[in-house]
DNA sequence: AATAGTAAAATTGTCGACAATTATACTTTA
DNA sequence: TAAAGTATAATTGTCGACAATTTTACTATT
């Protein structure tokens, strides 16, 4: 993952650095989803005081990667199917609106840059081979560009600063790299076209369909798995 | 304000209590928007240690009421017109989707309860007098019910747990109680009808129009003020 | 044997002190 | 006089210890 969250700011303090390490560990599943967090243990592991660790934990809570209860402690969030679907619903709402705003607020330069990026991806051999490159980095890259293009700080903070850490976590833990590469590419093209045409309404509609398609793709998979399980059980 | 944020949980720890007091003070403007926060000063004022205060500050940051920079300190967020409009855009996206989900997921009991609430407000003398009661409590109450009705924890947390503190802050600081009472009442009625009909698409559309109408109302006011200022300057 | 009660251990919350960084006031120099 | 540099003061970040609460292990009672 070379990709960087565009809202991320340099980690200067120790708490920042430990936060980043913990974030990575949670997203990648090195610290299990749903597991309890022991402050003394983690503090010892990272060789920092509990105060500093708690500062880092507060940041993890801010991007919804852990949950805290008073006098009880912290737990890594659980990755459930319901949670995943809820996340997609929320993304559909926020990124849809971001896309509409992008159509209104992006500069011509930004749009040109995004078009170039897509062309770049189109000629990329990885895409032609149907490999996951485009899905992973290219997809996230595209979505980031649109969100930033909204020029709406509120939307940018919510999506890039909070939601996307969870998105990455689900991607890692559920091992999601579905074979939608070429299809997603076409959808991205159409979205950029709508933005380029300054058609906010269409841009939002297309982005929402794009995300909803991913969600339905997952729902189908789940349904299939369920059916398989039940047939095995009998 | 008797109204309670439905996502709020009992404050057991000292940091919780100080957080609530600070939250109130910031929302009401007792601590000025945009002002710098002095940790030693506040800690002394509330008679707590700096550690405990910092815990409270972290929670304020979580609901976007303050912003922190490493080694520099915290500032109360500034209330700008751009920020207000961005907030409305975000609300439109999130609450619109919440309303769609409410149409799909609310139980019949919940819907009936919400209808009763609206009838209650209709017969309320305060509404008939066109007083601000309906707008303040009734409006927020209605929106909360819809959001909770989405049964989507992600949406509920984002809107009730984060956005609405900022909304309240803007309402207080900009002194917003525009005379849209009866109109808003009609709009609420139509939204409930759509939810009752389980028409998610219409419900979302109406909620978005409802919020957009408020936003445009503000934009008009701003434009008017600007025009007045300019005419005075000449 | 199962449950309730109690004591011990562990965990979280809070505190005050010190270290590192930033802001301020003053002096020096061109 | 203005600008740059330096020393001082103030603020934020980090630490280890203690207090309050929760969990665990054990004992006593029915």
């Amino acid at each position: 993952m070379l990709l960087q969250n565009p809202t991320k700011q340099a980690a200067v303090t120790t708490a920042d650095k430990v936060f980043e390490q913990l974030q990575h560990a949670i997203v990648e599943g090195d610290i299990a989803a749903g597991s309890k967090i022991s402050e003394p243990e983690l503090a010892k592991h990272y060789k920092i005081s509990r105060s500093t660790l708690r500062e880092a934990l507060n940041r993890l809570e801010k991007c919804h990667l852990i949950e805290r209860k008073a006098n009880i402690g912290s737990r890594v969030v659980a990755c459930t199917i319901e949670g995943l679907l809820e996340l997609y619903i929320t993304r559909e709402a926020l990124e849809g609106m971001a896309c509409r705003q992008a159509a209104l607020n992006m500069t011509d330069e930004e749009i040109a840059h995004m078009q170039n990026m897509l062309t770049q991806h189109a000629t990329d051999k990885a895409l032609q081979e149907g490999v996951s490159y485009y899905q992973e980095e290219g997809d996230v890259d595209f979505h980031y560009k649109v969100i930033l293009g909204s020029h709406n700080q509120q939307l940018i903070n919510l999506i890039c600063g909070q939601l996307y850490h969870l998105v990455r976590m689900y991607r890692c833990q559920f091992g999601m790299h579905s074979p939608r590469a070429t299809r997603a590419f076409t959808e991205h093209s159409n979205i950029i076209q709508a933005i380029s045409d300054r058609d906010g309404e269409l841009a939002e509609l297309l982005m929402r369909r794009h995300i909803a398609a991913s969600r339905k793709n997952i729902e189908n998979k789940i349904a299939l798995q369920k059916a398989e399980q039940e047939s095995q059980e009998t």
Side-chain angles (χ1 to χ4, degrees), chain A residues 92-178:
Chain A
E92 193 175 323
L94 287 173
E95 290 199 48
M97 179 58 89
C99 197
R100 174 187 286 259
Q101 298 299 314
L104 303 179
N105 298 335
M106 277 180 91
T107 66
D108 294 336
E109 287 74 29
E110 285 176 311
I111 295 177
H113 186 267
M114 198 160 64
Q115 282 169 328
N116 288 338
M117 189 186 72
L118 197 74
T119 312
Q120 180 72 29
H121 287 157
T123 58
D124 196 304
K125 71 177 195 314
L127 170 62
Q128 291 165 3
E129 292 167 5
V131 183
S132 65
Y133 167 80
Y134 175 71
Q135 293 177 320
E136 296 301 335
E137 306 214 15
D139 184 74
V140 177
D141 209 8
F142 168 78
H143 282 268
Y144 273 149
K145 286 275 189 306
V146 172
I147 295 157
L148 292 177
S150 72
H151 293 199
N152 182 316
Q153 208 54 48
Q154 189 83 47
L155 287 173
I156 293 170
N157 283 343
L158 280 183
I159 308 176
C160 298
Q162 297 185 33
L163 279 195
Y164 260 55
H165 304 289
L166 260 183
V167 171
R168 287 198 308 143
M169 182 169 175
Y170 273 107
R171 283 220 172 128
C172 283
Q173 312 246 337
F174 283 5
M176 283 150 53
H177 11 219
S178 53

